[in-house]
Amino acid sequence: MHSSNQRILKRRLSQLAVIAIILTASSGMKSKNDSIYKNGWIDFNKNGVKDVFEDPTQKVDDRVNNLISLMNVDEKTCQLTTLYGYSRVLEDEMPNEKWKSRVWKDGIGNIDEHLNTIAGRASTDTEFAYPYSKHAEAINTVQKWFVEETRMGIPVDFTNEGIHGLCHKKATPLPAPIGIGSTWNTDLVRQAGEMVGREAKALGYTNVYAPILDVATDQRWGRVLECYGEEPYHIAEMGKQMTLGIQSQGVASTIKHFAVYSIPKGARDGDARTDPHVAPREMHQLYMYPFRRVIQEANPMGVMSSYNDYDGVPVTSSYYFLTELLRQQYGFKGYVVSDSEAVEYVSEKHHVAADYKEAVRQVIEAGLNVRTTFRTPESFIEPLRELVHEGKLSMKTLDSRVADVLRVKFELGLFDQPYVENTAAADQLVHTDADAALSKKINQQSLVLLKNENNLLPLEIEKMQKILVTGPLADELNYTFSRYGPADNPSTSVYQGIKNYVGDKAQVVYEKGCDVVDPDWPGSEIIPVPLSDNEQADIAAAVEKAKQSDVIIAVVGEDEERVGETKSRTSLGLPGRQFQLLQALHATGKPVVLVLINGQPLTINWENKFIPAILEAWFPSTDGGTVIAETLFGAYNPGGKLSVTFPKAVGQIPLNFPFKPGSQAGQPGEGPNGYGNTRVIGPLYPFGYGLSYTTFEYSNLALSDTVIYSQDDVLVTFNVTNTGKREGDEIVQLYLKDEVSSVTTYESQLRGFERVHLKPGETKTLSFTLHPDDLKLLDENMNWTVEPGSFKVMVGSSSVDIHLSVGFEVKRN
């Protein structure tokens, strides 16, 4: 159609619209002063008639179809974008007259992070964030504007981040997801999800961006911190419970980042974020496995599409990923929101679209529902409208994308109760005493004891007069807060936690020793720079206090400026001068306890060899200092296990679990292939590893049957006994090995785990059921199948420490 004809058509349509409005008004349309809130329904489109979409007794699909039939193109396109909240894109805290001239006068799909407050970002501070009831009232005010002031009155989906706890001022904090993953406690994760969902609902948020289901197989990647771990079964089990917990509270869970996001080439994040080198079979068996499981077993209402490509095709413009795989194969029924800049990258980074407008067309055709980024909604809606008017995007496709968004809003109950019903209740529903206790319990269970030579831990206060707490993270708090978690909660450093715990039983002294990084970092990782006079003096000050102390507690690692989104690393050693500090402290001859604060595995080889006790704390939340102190002095017995492999050197990467036979093996000592001894082999700490202050013994492994058919279940039972003198937790792990298969599969795969609390001398019998899905592989024709043959069940305390094993046979049907 010629542009001149288009302009004439648009002008005539506008004239008709004005005439229709005048006729409607003259025929008795209710004024804004008359209530649209009826007995049992809301007159959203203000026409005095209970339309199908306004009738709570009608089926959701019928309500969706009816509403779409009443919407114009402007209103439809407005449902396909995000308006970022106050101080991000939205300039206003509350509605005002200017809103009548903005694009959202026709509605909006969702509003993200409105009035939430982000830790460390003063621009996001707002009087409407706290107290909680005031925020709920503010969200109601915004929602009321969209219901009452737009023509169709379509409610907004209020979204917010939630991987560290809800991203809101003084909401209940959680440790980093890598710490949550190290608990291996699905019951706790379910409770955490319920808590996050309840707090969101009370505050007026209706959609939580959590959990992250990415499989973190490259330890250099900065967002390892935000993943549950590297093993797909473990991630699926944890993510499933988080999703079920959030959605049990009547809010949506949006899982992320779909798909193959966690391994950009060389773990380069930031401006890179592209080109994952993953073969198709590996993609499905490892990286897509958690998404498939969680979608099919927990039915999340949202999926966030990632901004990377796969095999040359941007995921967010891929019909295969967003429609064929996600909806047709996995059965996803919600709506897909883009990660920030994912749409823009289609043209600006991936260059598979000639311009941004073409990128918009590609992503909508592929299956994207809502564009989210830190740009105005107009920047997406205007080109989208042009595409429709130019005939480059069909109304059928547009309606289909809008229908997905509206369906979620109906399922969330927004068309039946768009407001927080009891805003005052928010003050009793958010960050309760029970929530604080749950947060502390998760913090405790996230701790992993990596080494405890000669049972140095737990420390005995009564045998000590002076304790030195040192290291750049000993009195630091920034790692206890997250861009994706709560802000403004009181926080306790490790030093303060130890002081509080020890009280007047011993003297606790502090000396920083060094900064987290030196001025030349990260360049100093590849070209070492001599210590400056100030750095030498700082280390010397710590050494002097160490000589006068009975024990040294060194708190080292990474802070929030060194790890996280866009902060991938080159090396995995302790940054800055921390290694030199540890060497100097060790040289004093005094016992050193190493507390690691970090977001990814570190190559602490010297530390593991020479430091007698090492406690991995990851990035704890605000009571981390208290929890660490209680653990070091024995009030709590650590029982967490690693959910990621610790390599000895970055040169070993990729080094992770699961792995193919021989792929992580050593070199032959003799034979025709040489007598190689040219590289370091094996992990520093394997997947599933973690110690305790007590010991455990495994026995009596048995199967319900040793010969089954392909669709049978197998019941696995065995005993675990606490053989030590302290009560404690053991995380039992069940691995499965396919002895012979049509395609090469993994050496073994995790297929069950449970965190068990045992008193001294106590024995518990554990049961796991292996289902056909646990035995499946992708055969040579890329079909999921259970092949006949021999399988081995292995039970142990890590992927390496296998204590019991037994085999069974799968027969042909």
Side-chain angles (χ1 to χ4, degrees):
M1 183 182 292
H2 295 298
S3 59
S4 59
N5 292 336
Q6 289 177 333
R7 286 193 295 271
I8 293 171
L9 179 58
K10 286 182 182 179
R11 186 164 59 249
R12 288 178 177 173
L13 289 172
S14 299
Q15 292 168 345
L16 288 171
V18 171
I19 293 171
I21 291 171
I22 294 171
L23 289 173
T24 302
S26 64
S27 64
M29 184 180 187
K30 292 183 178 296
S31 72
K32 293 177 183 177
N33 294 326
D34 293 329
S35 176
I36 64 171
Y37 304 99
K38 310 298 182 181
N39 183 19
W41 65 284
I42 300 173
D43 188 13
F44 288 99
N45 62 355
K46 308 153 191 78
N47 65 353
V49 176
K50 183 193 284 188
D51 294 289
V52 172
F53 85 92
E54 296 165 339
D55 186 349
T57 67
Q58 299 294 320
K59 294 179 180 179
V60 168
D61 285 346
D62 292 338
R63 297 178 77 180
V64 169
N65 292 335
N66 173 246
L67 178 53
I68 289 177
S69 72
L70 299 173
M71 296 168 68
N72 59 40
V73 171
D74 286 354
E75 290 157 344
K76 291 175 182 178
T77 53
C78 278
Q79 291 301 308
L80 300 186
T81 193
T82 293
L83 171 60
Y84 255 107
Y86 170 66
S87 86
R88 270 56 63 107
V89 170
L90 188 56
E91 299 170 354
D92 313 302
E93 295 167 292
M94 290 289 106
N96 55 49
E97 281 302 311
K98 292 185 298 182
W99 285 26
K100 295 291 186 67
S101 60
R102 296 302 299 267
V103 71
W104 52 87
K105 70 183 186 303
D106 295 312
I108 203 74
N110 59 39
I111 298 179
D112 194 30
E113 298 194 276
H114 190 45
L115 306 174
N116 62 342
T117 301
I118 292 177
R121 298 192 184 182
S123 63
T124 66
D125 291 349
T126 168
E127 64 174 301
F128 296 104
Y130 185 83
Y132 309 123
S133 54
K134 187 172 185 179
H135 181 270
E137 291 166 0
I139 290 294
N140 276 355
T141 300
V142 177
Q143 186 74 282
K144 185 181 177 72
W145 188 91
F146 281 93
V147 169
E148 297 185 0
E149 300 297 330
T150 64
R151 185 181 78 95
M152 293 304 297
I154 298 173
V156 172
D157 185 16
F158 287 96
T159 58
N160 199 1
E161 300 285 351
I163 62 169
H164 289 256
L166 191 70
C167 185
H168 189 88
K169 184 174 183 176
K170 295 186 182 298
T172 307
L174 293 175
I178 191 64
I180 297 174
S182 297
T183 70
W184 294 62
N185 191 328
T186 53
D187 290 338
L188 274 190
V189 173
R190 173 61 182 256
Q191 293 174 49
E194 291 170 353
M195 178 195 73
V196 170
R198 168 172 41 81
E199 293 190 340
K201 182 83 169 178
L203 287 162
Y205 299 112
T206 51
N207 193 327
V208 177
Y209 289 162
I212 287 178
L213 300 180
D214 298 315
V215 179
T217 57
D218 194 321
Q219 295 89 340
R220 298 167 296 180
W221 187 53
R223 298 196 87 170
V224 170
L225 172 76
E226 296 171 359
C227 303
Y228 290 134
E230 70 184 14
E231 205 287 329
Y233 180 90
H234 169 265
I235 296 166
E237 291 293 311
M238 304 292 271
K240 172 184 174 181
Q241 296 305 322
M242 180 63 75
T243 301
L244 289 170
I246 290 171
Q247 295 199 159
S248 72
Q249 305 303 301
V251 300
S253 166
T254 292
I255 61 177
K256 54 184 185 177
H257 306 86
F258 188 88
V260 205
Y261 169 77
S262 56
I263 43 169
K265 183 180 179 182
R268 282 177 277 272
D269 203 11
D271 291 333
R273 302 173 167 180
T274 58
D275 198 19
H277 288 187
V278 180
R281 183 172 281 103
E282 182 181 17
M283 179 187 78
H284 289 290
Q285 291 187 325
L286 288 187
Y287 297 95
M288 304 309 301
Y289 178 93
F291 288 95
R292 175 177 65 83
R293 285 271 320 275
V294 172
I295 289 167
Q296 293 177 346
E297 297 174 26
N299 299 308
M301 294 185 184
V303 163
M304 181 179 288
S305 68
S306 55
Y307 39 58
N308 55 282
D309 63 326
Y310 174 73
D311 196 24
V313 179
V315 170
T316 297
S317 64
S318 168
Y319 183 83
Y320 170 74
F321 276 104
L322 298 193
T323 298
E324 291 181 0
L325 197 60
L326 183 60
R327 296 190 180 277
Q328 296 173 3
Q329 293 188 34
Y330 294 176
F332 176 66
K333 301 297 185 185
Y335 76 80
V336 181
V337 59
S338 71
D339 201 352
S340 292
E341 300 297 289
V343 175
E344 290 73 13
Y345 283 172
V346 172
S347 56
E348 296 174 7
K349 177 171 291 186
H350 300 297
H351 305 297
V352 298
D355 53 35
Y356 171 62
K357 185 174 173 180
E358 169 59 14
V360 171
R361 187 195 67 80
Q362 287 186 19
V363 299
I364 292 294
E365 291 280 7
L368 182 72
N369 297 105
V370 173
R371 192 288 303 264
T372 298
T373 196
F374 295 97
R375 306 190 190 193
T376 65
E378 289 91 340
S379 65
F380 183 77
I381 290 171
E382 289 173 358
L384 184 57
R385 289 174 178 173
E386 290 175 8
L387 289 166
V388 174
H389 291 311
E390 292 167 3
K392 295 178 180 178
L393 187 68
S394 73
M395 190 62 68
K396 180 180 179 181
T397 299
L398 182 68
D399 287 353
S400 178
R401 301 298 175 263
V402 175
D404 295 330
V405 178
L406 296 178
R407 189 179 304 110
V408 169
K409 292 186 177 185
F410 277 108
E411 290 175 349
L412 288 173
L414 290 175
F415 284 89
D416 305 320
Q417 175 49 269
Y419 308 114
V420 179
E421 294 185 64
N422 185 355
T423 56
D427 293 328
Q428 283 73 50
L429 291 172
V430 182
H431 207 153
T432 65
D433 290 343
D435 294 334
L438 174 64
S439 175
K440 181 177 181 180
K441 191 173 184 179
I442 296 172
N443 261 300
Q444 289 174 324
Q445 295 199 10
S446 71
L447 301 178
V448 184
L449 183 61
L450 298 178
K451 186 181 179 183
N452 194 20
E453 190 176 276
N454 298 322
N455 294 317
L456 175 59
L457 296 177
L459 299 171
E460 300 177 74
I461 299 177
E462 59 272 12
K463 294 183 179 180
M464 299 173 184
Q465 293 182 338
K466 183 178 287 188
I467 300 166
L468 171 63
V469 183
T470 185
L473 296 170
D475 203 26
E476 181 57 72
L477 296 174
N478 67 17
Y479 60 81
T480 66
F481 298 97
S482 167
R483 155 70 181 91
Y484 295 105
D488 291 355
N489 285 305
S491 186
T492 304
S493 70
V494 177
Y495 167 57
Q496 191 61 52
I498 291 171
K499 280 191 67 177
N500 294 343
Y501 186 87
V502 172
D504 59 3
K505 296 176 183 177
Q507 183 183 1
V508 179
V509 297
Y510 165 75
E511 188 66 43
K512 186 175 183 180
C514 67
D515 293 326
V516 175
V517 297
D518 61 89
D520 296 294
W521 190 88
S524 56
E525 291 187 329
I526 59 174
I527 303 178
V529 178
L531 285 102
S532 67
D533 291 342
N534 287 338
E535 288 170 335
Q536 289 176 334
D538 290 342
I539 292 175
V543 167
E544 189 59 32
K545 287 187 179 180
K547 291 176 180 178
Q548 302 165 20
S549 301
D550 298 299
V551 68
I552 304 162
I553 300 173
V555 189
V556 299
E558 303 166 307
D559 62 2
E560 63 91 25
E561 296 179 7
R562 247 52 65 173
V563 61
E565 187 173 9
T566 79
K567 298 171 186 173
S568 295
R569 289 192 56 190
T570 311
S571 165
L572 289 175
L574 289 172
R577 306 306 192 183
Q578 297 181 70
F579 180 56
Q580 289 94 326
L581 172 64
L582 283 180
Q583 286 182 310
L585 294 171
H586 172 69
T588 65
K590 297 298 179 75
V592 179
V593 176
L594 181 62
V595 176
L596 285 176
I597 305 290
N598 50 301
Q600 59 215 114
L602 299 178
T603 52
I604 51 169
N605 300 287
W606 183 92
E607 296 88 337
N608 180 64
K609 184 174 182 178
F610 293 105
I611 304 297
I614 305 174
L615 182 68
E616 174 61 80
W618 298 117
F619 271 24
S621 62
T622 49
D623 61 358
T626 300
V627 168
I628 289 168
E630 292 173 348
T631 303
L632 293 178
F633 290 97
Y636 177 75
N637 183 357
K641 302 274 190 179
L642 297 179
S643 58
V644 283
T645 300
F646 274 52
K648 294 174 180 174
V650 293
Q652 293 178 295
I653 296 173
L655 185 79
N656 46 266
F657 184 90
F659 55 88
K660 298 288 182 67
S663 65
Q664 293 180 184
Q667 295 169 293
E670 57 185 29
N673 291 322
Y675 306 91
N677 188 18
T678 60
R679 67 181 296 145
V680 173
I681 61 171
L684 180 61
Y685 308 114
F687 172 79
Y689 172 83
L691 304 176
S692 171
Y693 295 158
T694 188
T695 55
F696 302 94
E697 186 177 275
Y698 291 67
S699 62
N700 299 333
L701 175 62
L703 304 179
S704 58
D705 206 335
T706 56
V707 179
I708 66 169
Y709 290 100
S710 62
Q711 296 307 302
D712 284 341
D713 288 342
V714 179
L715 179 65
V716 183
T717 59
F718 56 92
N719 293 342
V720 180
T721 303
N722 183 343
T723 55
K725 297 179 180 180
R726 288 175 173 267
E727 62 180 272
D729 293 353
E730 171 68 330
I731 298 171
V732 299
Q733 300 158 45
L734 186 153
Y735 295 89
L736 185 68
K737 179 179 176 63
D738 191 343
E739 302 274 27
V740 179
S741 49
S742 62
V743 296
T744 302
T745 189
Y746 299 99
E747 187 67 34
S748 67
Q749 292 179 275
L750 183 69
R751 284 299 180 261
F753 60 88
E754 185 174 340
R755 185 167 186 140
V756 188
H757 186 78
L758 293 167
K759 297 176 182 178
E762 184 180 7
T763 297
K764 286 186 179 178
T765 299
L766 301 177
S767 300
F768 293 93
T769 300
L770 290 171
H771 303 290
D773 191 65
D774 295 320
L775 277 61
K776 285 181 180 177
L777 56 72
L778 273 175
D779 66 17
E780 54 191 338
N781 296 315
M782 295 296 285
N783 294 316
W784 287 103
T785 185
V786 178
E787 294 185 340
S790 299
F791 291 80
K792 181 188 289 185
V793 173
M794 299 176 289
V795 174
S797 52
S798 81
S799 59
V800 170
D801 299 316
I802 302 299
H803 304 299
L804 305 170
S805 65
V806 64
F808 67 94
E809 191 80 16
V810 176
K811 295 176 61 178
R812 292 187 184 276
N813 288 338

